[in-house]
Amino acid sequence: MHSSSCCCCCSSFLLFLLPLLLALVWSTGRFSGISGNCRLSAGVGFGSMKPVIVVHGGAGRIFKDREEGARSGVTRAALKGYSILKQGGNALDAVEEAVTSMEDDPHFNAGCGSVLNEKGEVEMDAIIMDGKNLASGAVSAVKCIANPIKLARLVMEKTEHMLLTDHGANLFAKAMGVPEIPGEKLITQRSRERWNKNLEPDSNPQEFKKDPGTVGAVAIDNEGNVACATSTGGLANKLVGRVGDSACIGSGGYADNHVGAISTTGHGESMMKVVLARLILYHMEQGMSPVEAADTALNYMKTRVGGLGGVIVVSNSGDWAARFSTKQMSWATVKDDQLQYGIYTGEIHTSSVAEALESK
């Protein structure tokens, strides 16, 4: 009798203890249902992570006379972002600086190089995201702003919202003291010429959709925090008010310290249909490497909805990838003081950061 009572007490105690043990295991990220190589810790100790930055200047068709400018632009952006990381700066500042650099470069479809909508105006989208707390800010269809990525960060840090659009975004910019510039200052001669050409009766609008459409950056800092930033002028001759993937969390970008950070580029409507950025992180959560996850997601988007594009990825362990299903994508990365960059599949140029800075 005594023995039976004791067993009952032990059984009750174990039933009470089991949920607590399971909760503890889940909270530390070691639950057996999570498989693969991705670390699920919330971060690493200060100084224990080597900083990495990856940038892209858009996936699509890059004309020969613009290849060198695209290579120079992405390497310059990567070096600027990496400089912040090397000085102990955070990933958010690094990706913002890198994307700002490309918004100021007319070789890219963002900021001052943006393509024009059907009315011949510039409308831009941008997003930034902090992997530490999943905070995000975005703007869409904004006009007369030199650097939409900076406005997106203000949305993240100065409002309770995640996305402001069109007139509302411009009102917020004015309230924040962001200078408004004449729309014509964002229009390059090339953008105007291509807009006019697309209006010709025998033009093929689908050809213009092959042009690179976005810039972006992902980074991990020495505290193990990741971030992403994406900015674009959208599709050439798009309808007024059209918003693509770049401003949409999970499609144009995503960052989560538990897994990594993504920035995407390509056909926006296709990327929104498959939620491309978050899909890649899902594959990484299941154990795929950044390269495997990127290729799997890009292949799914191509076979499922016929969309082409490109992505840059950094994992929370510092591994990175730059992958694309289009003909070209300009990209650059810096890790361990080594700069790598390219445009075509299989093209990888390598130099030390010191050599790259001297050449510039």
Side-chain angles (χ1 to χ4, degrees):
M1 191 73 175
H2 177 76
S3 174
S4 175
S5 174
C6 181
C7 287
C8 288
C9 289
C10 289
S11 297
S12 298
F13 178 73
L14 288 173
L15 288 172
F16 169 78
L17 188 60
L18 184 58
L20 296 178
L21 290 171
L22 289 174
L24 178 62
V25 171
W26 176 263
S27 68
T28 57
R30 294 188 293 269
F31 190 67
S32 61
I34 302 296
S35 61
N37 300 320
C38 288
R39 299 177 312 169
L40 296 177
S41 58
V44 296
F46 176 78
S48 62
M49 177 63 66
K50 291 183 178 180
V52 181
I53 188 166
V54 193
V55 308
H56 71 77
R61 175 184 56 185
I62 303 173
F63 290 97
K64 278 289 183 182
D65 63 337
R66 298 180 68 80
E67 284 185 6
E68 196 53 43
R71 289 190 184 93
S72 296
V74 291
T75 57
R76 182 166 50 249
L79 289 169
K80 285 186 175 182
Y82 188 71
S83 175
I84 290 174
L85 296 172
K86 280 290 286 184
Q87 295 174 45
N90 62 58
L92 265 178
D93 289 342
V95 296
E96 179 185 349
E97 178 64 24
V99 168
T100 297
S101 173
M102 290 184 284
E103 287 177 335
D104 293 338
D105 189 330
H107 284 92
F108 302 112
N109 179 14
C112 72
S114 295
V115 296
L116 310 184
N117 65 17
E118 62 177 353
K119 285 192 173 182
E121 301 170 331
V122 168
E123 290 183 315
M124 301 166 289
D125 306 334
I127 191 170
I128 192 167
M129 188 167 182
D130 186 351
K132 186 175 184 179
N133 56 6
L134 304 188
S136 179
V139 292
S140 65
V142 293
K143 302 175 182 178
C144 304
I145 300 294
N147 299 113
I149 198 64
K150 291 183 176 294
L151 186 57
R153 184 164 183 181
L154 287 172
V155 172
M156 180 179 73
E157 296 180 342
K158 302 297 183 181
T159 79
E160 296 179 354
H161 309 305
M162 293 179 66
L163 171 62
L164 294 179
T165 190
D166 197 13
H167 183 58
N170 282 95
L171 287 176
F172 173 70
K174 187 175 182 179
M176 291 290 102
V178 176
E180 188 173 285
I181 64 174
E184 287 294 322
K185 283 200 170 183
L186 295 173
I187 300 176
T188 63
Q189 182 180 350
R190 182 175 185 272
S191 292
R192 181 65 72 188
E193 289 173 352
R194 291 177 71 74
W195 177 75
N196 286 324
K197 186 175 179 59
N198 211 14
L199 294 178
E200 296 174 0
D202 60 346
S203 70
N204 180 8
Q206 295 303 316
E207 281 298 303
F208 291 89
K209 292 182 180 179
K210 297 178 182 178
D211 293 351
T214 315
V215 301
V218 295
I220 185 167
D221 59 34
N222 60 12
E223 292 189 33
N225 296 314
V226 300
C228 73
T230 307
S231 182
T232 186
L235 293 176
N237 292 67
K238 63 189 177 183
L239 293 176
V240 173
R242 179 263 185 185
V243 176
D245 66 290
S246 295
C248 299
I249 187 171
S251 294
Y254 203 85
D256 184 346
N257 278 12
H258 289 185
V259 193
I262 315 283
S263 174
T264 66
T265 171
H267 185 243
E269 281 71 13
S270 296
M271 289 186 282
M272 287 189 283
K273 288 176 182 177
V274 301
V275 197
L276 184 62
R278 193 60 189 84
L279 178 61
I280 293 170
L281 288 185
Y282 167 78
H283 288 316
M284 291 169 64
E285 288 170 329
Q286 305 310 304
M288 289 188 184
S289 69
V291 169
E292 293 169 333
D295 287 349
T296 299
L298 285 170
N299 183 62
Y300 174 74
M301 183 173 74
K302 182 178 180 179
T303 57
R304 186 71 176 86
V305 298
L308 300 178
V311 299
I312 51 173
V313 188
V314 66
S315 74
N316 67 349
S317 60
D319 295 326
W320 64 274
R323 311 293 288 179
F324 48 99
S325 55
T326 53
K327 182 180 178 181
Q328 297 153 289
M329 182 180 80
S330 56
W331 63 271
T333 184
V334 187
K335 179 179 181 179
D336 292 327
D337 290 328
Q338 287 288 113
L339 168 70
Q340 292 184 305
Y341 61 95
I343 287 182
Y344 291 93
T345 300
E347 176 193 352
I348 301 178
H349 302 280
T350 304
S351 70
S352 69
V353 168
E355 290 171 340
L357 291 174
E358 282 180 11
S359 67
K360 292 184 180 301

